[in-house]
């Protein structure tokens, strides 16, 4: 950086031969130097796309131009030249002395890219002013040395610069670029304002809560003249963008081309974001990590993984053919269909555990076995040696189905939650059979059963001063003394129409209760029962709460159904949203296959609150997100809502900083407590940092036991278990 003495000279350097044409002096930003010597620094602001905005943005941009002219020679043709490294570091250091900017890679990259633009502009200015005539053609005579800029340019640099610009190759490139830029189809009309500061101005004037605007909205506003009129062709492109934004998902937008690029139908190059200005990249706009080319080792690892998948698919295909062969041998008569009913299993519906024998013998899931005479699977007879099973809980997320579901093209067990599959007889174990085999996990229960059934289980003997789960103890005693102690016993809980928008019956099996007693993973039956508890104890008879909060059924919308029947899932969600006459918050416990999380959806405001107890992002669940976004847009269309153009393609997703679990079991319990606290607070809007009254890093075991106590008390009061 130049010394203070050097910068103390007058803004106007000695006059050159073209004194009459000079209308302003040299910009050297003396005020910044004076303030720096007084230890005064300037704050700068950045928008959501990491672009420079705020009152000091223009001052910083001008200062960057001064530093570039002072430290970078005009003969430097490539900004990426490594020889400029020390000069760039000097520029960055000088900027940090006067402006409060984080000394990070992303900020330094932005500033130096902006410096590169200023350097190109400086060289272009010198070329147009001294090397070209009024018609913008290169002059034949030798231009005089610009004495005015002697503090930036030496005479030797000027001679070399003139020689570079008179090169024939450069002249051809210059002519091509001048012709291309001379008559733009859609002219930019905001001068030096730039897209970032234009966006800032619009958001301030409209007092919008949004942090950014869609690129096509900015593109249009940048082409509005001082009289406020919009050309027809510009309006046409904007309208086409609005139409495209309703049909193109965010994933398609970022993976291929943005709606603006599609509407303009122009060639595009990687890394560019039209309508956003300098510094905005696909990474900053879509908040996705930058992709890189895989290494040779990664390619080989991927190839080996694909080969293993091919071998496994070949095995599955062979197994499927065997299944088809067995199925074809079954006669379609009621007598033959009764073969499905196996004597080794109790008739009817029984809770069971599901095992696989390959590659190792292991427990992979839990569900219910349907041992019914003449039962069919997807309108086809069951193969020999198999029974129909409904999957409730997945314990091994990578487990394959014994027989792939050819109807839904499902091969993984985690994708079959909530649906029916065929399972080999020798790999299905009714819960009592598992106990009899000496399962270590439930050995304590066996010991307790050898005593009087009304004796309390040993595990519940409380320590002095410890929390006593009284309702859990009472309910387990009732279960042991009732028919629920036998395999296959179930209870039915009516779910009236007001809860999920349709009337249904929820099935509660012995296994569901065992999950509560043993603090294990929860199935959909337990989650829905707790929703019924919330409805009965908080919302029934309370018009304010019942009109404000509603629920979405996890049985009708889950990962398996979203993949298999997306249209029916969307129709159900839209129908639920259409029941809203005022702002409602729809609470939807979503099961991703082996994990529960909670979505709280305000369809009128088009806001989705995302509560995940394992600190994951909604981008990890693309099928779920696309379903919600599409359903809200269809809901918007059906109610003929007018949405501001700045928000027409943006549905707000908010990640709530909720308490986090510390194991792989508690997600269901966390979701139930989330729902209780949201309803208890009686607020449609959920703070990003969660409610102050319930804010904590993790729920304690006592807080989760309180939820279980409420469930068990509800079972007892509803007399679902009776001796």
């Amino acid at each position: 950086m130049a010394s203070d003495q050097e910068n103390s000279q007058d803004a106007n350097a000695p006059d050159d031969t073209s004194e009459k044409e000079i209308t302003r002096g040299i910009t050297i930003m003396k005020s910044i130097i004076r303030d720096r010597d007084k230890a005064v620094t300037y704050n700068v602001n950045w928008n959501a796309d990491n672009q420079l905005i705020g009152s000091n943005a223009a001052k910083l941009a001008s200062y960057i131009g001064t530093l570039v002219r002072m430290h970078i020679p005009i003969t430097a043709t490539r900004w990426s030249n490594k020889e400029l490294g020390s000069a760039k570091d000097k520029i960055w250091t000088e900027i940090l002395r006067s402006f409060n900017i984080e000394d990070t890679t992303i900020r330094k990259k932005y500033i130096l890219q902006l410096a590169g633009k200023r350097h190109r502009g400086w060289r272009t200015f010198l070329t147009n002013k001294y090397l070209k005539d009024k018609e913008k053609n290169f002059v034949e005579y030798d231009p005089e040395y610009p004495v005015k800029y002697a503090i930036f340019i030496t005479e030797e640099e000027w001679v070399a610069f003139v020689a570079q610009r008179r090169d024939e190759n450069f002249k051809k490139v210059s002519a091509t670029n001048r012709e291309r830029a001379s008559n733009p189809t859609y002219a930019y009309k905001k001068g030096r304002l730039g897209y970032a500061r234009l966006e800032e101005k619009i958001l301030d004037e409209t007092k919008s809560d949004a942090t950014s605007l869609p690129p096509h909205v900015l593109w249009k506003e940048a082409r509005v003249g001082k009289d406020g009129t919009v050309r027809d062709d510009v309006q046409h492109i904007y309208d086409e963008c609005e139409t495209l934004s309703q049909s193109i998902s965010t994933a398609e937008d970022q993976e291929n081309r943005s709606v603006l690029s599609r509407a303009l139908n122009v060639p595009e190059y990687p890394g560019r974001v039209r309508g956003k200005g300098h510094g905005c990249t696909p990474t900053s706009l879509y908040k996705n990590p930058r992709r890189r080319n895989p290494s040779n080792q990664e390619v080989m690892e991927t190839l080996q993984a694909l080969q293993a998948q091919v071998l496994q698919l070949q095995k599955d295909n062979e197994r499927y053919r065997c299944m088809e062969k067995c199925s074809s041998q079954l006669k379609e008569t009621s007598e033959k269909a009764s073969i499905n009913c196996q004597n080794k299993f109790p008739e009817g519906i029984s809770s069971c555990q599901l095992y696989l024998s390959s590659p190792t013998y292991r427990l992979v899931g839990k569900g219910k076995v349907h041992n019914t005479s003449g039962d069919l699977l997807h309108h086809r007879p069951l193969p020999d040696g198999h029974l129909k099973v409904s999957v409730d809980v997945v314990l091994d997320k990578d487990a394959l189905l014994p027989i792939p579901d050819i109807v839904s093209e499902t091969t993984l067990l985690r994708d079959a939650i909530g649906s029916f599959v065929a399972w080999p007889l020798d790999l299905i174990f009714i819960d009592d059979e598992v106990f009899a085999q000496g399962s270590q996990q439930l050995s304590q229960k066996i010991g307790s059963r050898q005593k009087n059934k009304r004796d309390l289980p040993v595990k519940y003997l409380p320590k002095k001063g410890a929390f006593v789960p009284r309702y859990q103890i009472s309910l387990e005693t009732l279960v042991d003394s009732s028919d629920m102690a036998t395999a296959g016993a179930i209870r039915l809980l009516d779910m009236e129409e007001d809860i999920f928008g349709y009337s249904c019956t929820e099935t509660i099996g012995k296994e569901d209760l065992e999950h509560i007693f043993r603090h294990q993973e929860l199935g959909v039956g337990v989650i829905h029962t707790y929703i019924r508890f919330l409805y009965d104890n908080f919302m029934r008879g309370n018009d304010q709460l019942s009109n404000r909060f509603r629920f979405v059924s996890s049985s009708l919308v889950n990962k398996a159904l979203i993949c298999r029947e997306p249209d029916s899932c969307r129709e159900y969600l839209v129908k639920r949203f259409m029941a809203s006459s005022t702002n409602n918050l729809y609470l939807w416990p979503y099961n991703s296959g082996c994990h529960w999380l909670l979505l709280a959806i305000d369809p009128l405001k088009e806001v989705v609150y995302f509560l995940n107890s394992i600190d994951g992002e909604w981008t990890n669940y693309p099928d779920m997100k696309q379903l919600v976004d599409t359903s809200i847009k269809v809901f918007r269309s059906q109610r003929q809502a007018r949405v501001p153009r700045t928000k027409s393609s943006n549905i707000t997703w908010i990640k709530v900083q909720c308490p986090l679990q510390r194991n792989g079991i508690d997600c269901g319990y966390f979701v139930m407590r989330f729902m209780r606290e949201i309803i208890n607070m009686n607020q449609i809007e959920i703070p990003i940092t969660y409610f102050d009254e319930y804010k904590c890093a993790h729920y304690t075991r006592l807080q989760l036991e309180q939820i279980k106590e409420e469930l068990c008390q509800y079972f007892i009061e509803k007399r679902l278990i009776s001796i």
Side-chain angles (χ1 to χ4, degrees):
M1 180 68 196
S3 66
D4 298 343
Q5 184 177 358
E6 291 173 336
N7 286 319
S8 63
Q9 59 183 296
D10 292 337
N12 292 333
D15 296 338
D16 61 9
T17 56
S18 57
E19 182 180 358
K20 294 182 180 179
E21 299 179 4
I22 297 177
T23 58
R24 56 171 288 178
I26 304 173
T27 302
I28 58 176
M29 308 298 290
K30 290 191 297 183
S31 61
I32 294 180
I33 306 303
R34 287 194 291 265
D35 286 343
R36 185 197 68 190
D37 294 340
K38 297 176 184 177
V40 175
T41 57
Y42 304 92
N43 294 322
V44 294
N45 300 320
W46 306 84
N47 64 13
D49 298 318
N50 286 320
Q51 294 173 295
L52 190 63
I53 59 172
S55 58
N56 291 322
K59 179 176 291 188
L60 175 56
S62 297
Y63 187 50
I64 291 173
T66 298
L67 293 174
V68 166
R69 293 193 293 274
M70 192 167 294
H71 294 289
I72 306 296
I74 60 173
T75 54
T77 56
R78 287 187 174 273
W79 185 253
S80 58
N81 193 330
K82 293 182 179 179
E83 295 179 358
L84 299 178
S86 60
K88 292 179 182 178
D89 291 339
K90 181 67 174 177
I91 292 173
W92 175 241
T93 302
E94 291 294 339
I95 290 173
L96 292 181
R97 294 178 65 187
S98 297
F99 292 86
N100 296 322
I101 303 176
E102 303 95 325
D103 190 2
T104 60
T105 302
I106 187 173
R107 294 289 185 248
K108 182 177 181 180
K109 180 180 179 181
Y110 178 93
I111 294 297
L112 292 183
Q113 284 180 342
L114 186 56
K117 291 184 63 177
R118 294 290 177 266
H119 183 250
R120 291 191 295 273
W122 169 231
R123 284 159 51 87
T124 300
F125 164 77
L126 293 174
T127 302
N128 291 335
K129 183 172 181 62
Y130 295 101
L131 303 184
K132 292 184 179 181
D133 56 22
K134 294 182 180 180
E135 285 74 28
K136 299 302 180 182
N137 297 318
F138 282 91
V139 298
E140 298 297 332
Y141 56 85
D142 291 334
E144 295 185 13
Y145 170 60
V147 180
K148 175 182 178 180
Y149 302 106
I151 62 173
F152 300 137
I153 308 170
T154 65
E155 293 188 26
E156 292 78 8
E157 288 176 343
W158 177 252
V159 172
F161 175 72
V162 172
Q164 289 176 356
R165 294 301 189 174
R166 284 186 167 177
D167 182 78
E168 292 300 324
N169 290 331
F170 175 79
K171 289 182 178 181
K172 291 180 181 179
V173 173
S174 177
T176 301
N177 291 339
R178 183 173 69 252
E179 181 180 358
R180 182 180 60 185
S182 60
N183 188 25
T185 306
Y186 308 101
Y188 181 88
K189 297 185 177 182
K190 296 302 178 182
R192 299 181 61 191
L193 187 62
Y195 281 106
R197 284 186 283 168
L198 173 61
E199 181 180 58
E200 179 188 22
K201 179 181 177 182
I202 295 173
L203 293 176
D204 288 342
E205 290 177 350
T206 58
K207 297 181 180 180
S208 173
D209 294 332
T211 57
S212 63
L213 300 174
H216 66 276
V217 174
L218 273 179
W219 180 88
K220 173 192 171 184
E221 293 298 328
R223 282 149 183 83
V224 177
K226 293 182 179 179
D227 58 356
T229 59
V230 182
R231 283 171 33 187
D232 291 341
D233 54 347
V234 172
Q235 184 65 42
H236 173 73
I237 295 296
Y238 174 81
D239 293 340
E240 188 172 350
C241 289
E242 289 285 281
T243 303
L244 286 173
S245 64
Q246 301 296 323
S247 59
I248 297 178
S249 66
T250 303
E252 291 177 307
D253 190 9
Q254 56 185 291
E255 290 294 336
N256 301 303
R257 293 195 300 166
S258 66
V259 293
L260 181 56
S261 294
R262 293 168 188 263
L264 291 172
N265 193 25
V266 291
E268 200 62 277
Y269 57 84
R272 177 172 185 171
V273 178
R274 287 187 180 271
K276 277 293 186 176
H278 170 70
C280 184
T281 64
T283 300
S284 63
L285 182 64
Y286 300 114
K287 304 301 184 291
N288 279 347
R290 185 176 180 179
R291 296 180 177 179
R292 62 176 180 84
N293 293 329
S295 64
N296 292 338
Q297 181 180 355
E298 291 172 333
V299 171
M300 293 303 298
E301 291 175 353
T302 302
L303 180 60
Q304 292 173 0
L306 290 174
Q307 289 174 342
Q309 291 180 16
V310 170
L311 291 175
Q312 186 62 48
L313 289 174
Q314 289 175 344
K315 293 179 182 179
D316 293 340
N317 186 44
E318 186 65 26
R319 185 168 53 194
Y320 167 70
R321 290 181 179 179
C322 293
M323 184 270 285
E324 285 290 295
K325 183 177 180 181
C326 293
S327 298
S328 63
Q329 296 174 355
L330 296 177
K331 295 181 181 180
E332 296 182 357
T333 62
S334 60
E335 181 180 0
K336 196 66 177 178
S338 65
I339 294 176
N340 293 339
C341 189
Q342 300 294 330
N343 294 329
K344 64 176 289 189
F345 296 100
E347 291 191 20
I349 302 174
S350 306
S351 296
C352 65
Q353 302 199 14
L354 306 174
Y355 282 74
L356 287 178
S357 58
S358 177
T360 59
Y361 192 85
R362 66 201 189 282
L363 175 66
V364 295
K366 301 177 182 182
K368 297 180 178 64
V369 58
H370 296 251
N371 188 28
T372 307
S373 177
D375 209 355
L376 302 175
L377 179 65
H378 304 313
H379 308 291
R380 300 171 64 91
L382 284 162
D384 260 342
H386 291 73
L387 280 178
K388 185 167 76 171
V389 169
S390 59
V391 182
D392 293 334
V393 178
V394 174
L395 303 179
D396 184 348
K397 65 179 182 179
D398 297 322
L400 295 170
L401 291 173
I403 299 178
D405 189 341
I406 59 176
V407 175
S408 63
E409 300 181 353
T410 301
T411 59
L412 293 174
L413 179 62
R414 67 169 183 254
D415 295 333
I417 287 183
S419 59
F420 294 100
V421 296
W423 208 272
L425 294 174
D426 58 342
L427 296 178
I428 302 174
F429 292 92
I430 299 299
D431 281 347
D432 274 358
E433 294 179 10
V434 177
F435 299 153
Q437 292 177 13
S439 170
Q440 294 181 357
Q441 195 174 20
L442 301 179
S443 59
Q444 197 170 24
K445 185 170 181 69
I446 296 176
S448 66
R449 284 193 171 187
Q450 293 174 351
K451 303 178 181 180
N452 188 305
K453 287 188 176 182
R454 293 186 179 273
D455 289 343
L456 297 181
V458 176
K459 64 172 285 187
Y460 284 135
L461 291 179
K463 297 180 181 179
K464 186 176 180 180
F467 169 74
V468 180
R470 301 184 185 280
Y471 287 106
Q472 295 181 54
I473 295 173
S474 300
L475 182 61
E476 187 165 10
T477 302
L478 284 174
V479 170
D480 286 341
S481 304
S482 70
D483 64 321
M484 287 293 284
T486 61
I490 61 173
R491 291 294 186 270
L492 301 179
L493 179 64
D494 291 332
M495 308 291 285
E496 53 195 85
E497 185 175 355
D498 288 343
I499 299 176
F500 292 132
Y502 68 102
S503 57
C504 60
T505 302
E506 193 62 55
T507 303
I508 307 298
K510 171 189 166 186
E511 179 193 58
D512 294 317
L513 299 176
E514 290 289 349
H515 289 166
I516 300 173
F517 300 149
R518 309 303 172 213
H519 198 82
Q520 297 173 345
E521 300 91 343
L522 299 180
V524 65
V526 175
I527 301 293
H528 280 186
T529 301
Y530 192 75
I531 288 176
R532 173 65 190 270
F533 159 77
L534 293 175
Y535 180 81
D536 285 346
N537 289 272
F538 290 85
M539 301 166 63
R540 189 185 298 277
N542 187 328
D543 292 339
Q544 185 183 33
L545 288 178
S546 60
N547 291 331
R548 179 168 288 183
F549 299 101
R550 300 174 187 267
F551 300 98
V552 174
S553 170
S554 301
S555 296
L556 289 191
V557 193
N558 52 54
K559 179 177 175 59
L561 289 174
I562 291 174
C563 296
R564 188 169 66 241
E565 303 174 16
D567 292 341
S568 64
C569 293
R570 183 179 63 253
E571 290 173 3
Y572 169 67
L573 282 180
V574 174
K575 183 178 179 181
R576 288 296 285 148
F577 296 161
M578 289 299 292
S580 301
S581 56
T582 58
N583 283 105
N584 295 122
L585 198 64
Y586 286 81
L587 303 179
W588 173 22
Y590 174 73
N591 194 302
S592 65
C594 53
H595 174 64
W596 286 101
L597 55 88
L598 181 67
L599 296 179
I601 307 173
D602 185 341
L604 284 178
K605 290 186 177 179
E606 301 187 357
V607 175
V608 183
Y609 298 96
F610 180 79
L611 292 86
N612 191 352
S613 58
I614 60 172
D615 197 27
E617 302 291 338
W618 60 72
T619 53
N620 297 333
Y621 311 93
D623 296 331
M624 173 270 289
K625 183 180 185 304
Q626 184 175 5
L627 172 68
V628 174
D629 288 346
T630 304
S631 300
I632 291 177
K633 290 178 181 179
V634 173
F635 168 65
R636 176 201 302 166
S637 174
Q638 289 193 6
R639 65 189 180 92
Q640 297 180 344
R642 293 185 177 181
V643 179
R645 291 174 177 172
T646 57
K647 194 173 183 278
S648 61
S649 60
N650 289 342
I651 294 171
T652 304
W653 283 72
I654 298 176
K655 180 182 177 181
V656 179
Q657 299 172 18
C658 55
L660 302 179
Q661 66 188 76
R662 289 180 284 193
N663 56 37
I665 297 174
D666 288 344
C667 56
Y669 303 97
F670 272 59
V671 165
M672 292 191 293
R673 189 167 182 96
F674 290 158
M675 291 191 292
R676 191 191 197 284
E677 291 172 349
I678 291 171
I679 294 175
N680 194 49
M681 292 304 299
N682 193 15
Q683 293 181 205
I684 293 293
E685 296 182 0
I686 304 176
I688 296 180
T689 57
Y690 206 54
F691 304 108
D692 291 338
E693 291 81 351
Y694 300 114
K695 187 181 297 184
C696 59
H698 314 280
Y699 286 139
T700 64
R701 184 61 182 266
L702 177 59
Q703 288 175 302
L704 300 184
E705 288 292 338
Q706 292 171 349
I707 298 296
K708 293 163 62 176
E709 280 287 271
E710 290 178 335
L711 257 176
C712 294
Q713 181 182 3
Y714 186 68
F715 275 110
I716 294 172
E717 292 178 349
K718 294 292 291 185
R719 298 184 181 277
L720 292 176
I721 311 298
S722 57
I723 301 176

